[in-house]
Amino acid sequence: MTRRKRKSHKNYFGLAAVLIVIIIAAAAIFTLVSHKKTAEKPKPKTKVATSKKPKEKPVPKDPNPVNIPVLMYHSIAYEKNNELRVPKEKFREEMQVIKDNGFTPITLDDLYSHFTNETALPPKPLIISFDDGYKDNYENALPILKEFGFKACAFVITCQIDDSTDFMTSAMLKEMEANGVDIECHTVTHPHLSALSYDKQLVELRDSKTKLEKLLNKKINYIAYPYGSYNSDTVKLAESLGYKMAFTTNEGPANKSQGMFTLDRVYVSNANSVDYFKKQITGEVQ
């Protein structure tokens, strides 16, 4: 009897041992499988911190300034104590200042397109203009303008054409036109327009325009008021006669906000130094 009991105990122990081994094996297999699944699970991608390059802003269509200097010259010749007459040597120096400081002379058409259609202009644009139509504009200014490759314009008094030794002839005006100097209107007789009646102003603005259009076989679109003198009648007439822009002698760069028929200009005087001229075109002084 005792032997049977011992044998029975032995069997229990053996069975228990087998069960323990099975449990341990199962646990090991479960752990191995779980570890494998964990290992196979893709790791989340680590975002690498990079400095984002800012998007480049497109270059504006028109990077030019709102204010554009319209230089106002008269005679290019020496005369003692006459500030309207700039000697040709000084004129060349001033053209050199324009070039050295990166300015680009443009046409009146360029300016008009810019003001009305926001047409882009070259960097640092300006206009070189001459009033009255002196012969020395042809003799002294034109060769220097050609030397620098600069465009310009001249507002001429039509009654003086072919009628005075001090003013340009028809042939000179045509040659100026052919060499990049736009010929435009400065009335018939150079009066103070604001002192004239409506009808007399009409004659001054209309007849000078007509004469130049016949002479040069082109449309005359621009006028400079003599002495900078004008009134509301002048502005109405200029617009109704088909002018596109008109210039005064009010000091400063041209700005569309001034009105297309009352634009400012920058007066160039022989009484001022070349250094002062530089400050005028760069806007340091007005």
Side-chain angles (χ1 to χ4, degrees):
M1 188 72 178
T2 309
R3 285 180 68 185
R4 278 185 187 172
K5 281 183 181 178
R6 283 180 184 170
K7 191 174 179 180
S8 178
H9 284 305
K10 225 177 187 180
N11 290 338
Y12 287 146
F13 285 132
L15 185 60
V18 170
L19 286 171
I20 290 168
V21 170
I22 291 169
I23 290 167
I24 291 169
I29 291 167
F30 178 77
T31 304
L32 183 64
V33 171
S34 297
H35 179 72
K36 188 176 181 183
K37 282 184 179 178
T38 305
E40 287 175 355
K41 190 177 180 180
K43 290 182 181 179
K45 290 182 181 178
T46 306
K47 289 184 179 179
V48 181
T50 55
S51 56
K52 239 183 180 182
K53 190 179 179 183
K55 287 183 179 179
E56 292 183 4
K57 290 182 180 179
V59 178
K61 180 184 175 184
D62 182 9
N64 299 301
V66 175
N67 298 315
I68 299 173
V70 179
L71 305 180
M72 178 176 59
Y73 285 95
H74 289 79
S75 170
I76 305 302
Y78 175 75
E79 184 180 328
K80 190 176 180 180
N81 299 325
N82 187 342
E83 67 177 49
L84 288 178
R85 294 187 181 272
V86 176
K88 64 180 180 179
E89 295 80 12
K90 188 174 183 180
F91 180 72
R92 179 182 277 106
E93 286 183 67
E94 289 169 348
M95 296 303 101
Q96 190 68 53
V97 167
I98 289 172
K99 181 181 178 181
D100 291 346
N101 286 273
F103 284 87
T104 305
I106 61 171
T107 67
L108 292 171
D109 286 341
D110 293 332
L111 183 64
Y112 178 76
S113 295
H114 175 65
F115 280 164
T116 56
N117 300 317
E118 297 185 356
T119 304
L121 294 175
K124 301 172 81 170
L126 57 71
I127 287 177
I128 302 167
S129 74
F130 302 89
D131 278 11
D132 302 334
Y134 292 104
K135 186 169 68 174
D136 55 53
N137 293 175
Y138 170 81
E139 294 173 335
N140 296 334
L142 181 60
I144 295 169
L145 292 169
K146 288 169 71 174
E147 176 188 330
F148 283 88
F150 286 170
K151 299 170 183 175
C153 64
F155 298 104
V156 303
I157 306 166
T158 57
C159 73
Q160 300 288 359
I161 300 170
D162 299 321
D163 195 49
S164 171
T165 56
D166 293 329
F167 291 84
M168 286 186 278
T169 64
S170 297
M172 290 174 181
L173 292 174
K174 289 176 181 177
E175 193 171 339
M176 293 281 274
E177 271 277 337
N179 285 279
V181 181
D182 182 22
I183 303 301
E184 297 293 338
C185 190
H186 202 39
T187 72
V188 179
T189 64
H190 201 269
H192 287 273
L193 290 169
S194 62
L196 301 182
S197 67
Y198 181 92
D199 290 340
K200 287 183 178 178
Q201 286 195 58
L202 172 61
V203 171
E204 289 287 343
L205 272 64
R206 182 195 60 205
D207 291 4
S208 54
K209 189 176 192 291
T210 302
K211 181 172 182 176
L212 287 175
E213 287 179 342
K214 287 180 179 177
L215 174 65
L216 301 171
N217 193 29
K218 71 164 194 173
K219 191 80 173 169
I220 297 297
N221 293 319
Y222 312 107
I223 185 170
Y225 304 136
Y227 309 106
S229 170
Y230 67 94
N231 57 23
S232 59
D233 285 343
T234 320
V235 173
K236 287 175 190 173
L237 281 167
E239 188 170 9
S240 66
L241 288 169
Y243 290 102
K244 291 181 176 179
M245 290 190 301
F247 296 86
T248 70
T249 57
N250 295 332
E251 185 65 29
N255 184 308
K256 184 181 177 181
S257 66
Q258 295 155 1
M260 295 294 279
F261 295 93
T262 50
L263 295 167
D264 293 355
R265 288 191 288 171
V266 177
Y267 172 49
V268 183
S269 168
N270 189 38
N272 297 324
S273 66
V274 174
D275 185 57
Y276 185 84
F277 172 81
K278 178 183 175 181
K279 291 177 181 177
Q280 283 182 295
I281 64 173
T282 55
E284 293 178 60
V285 294
Q286 285 187 18

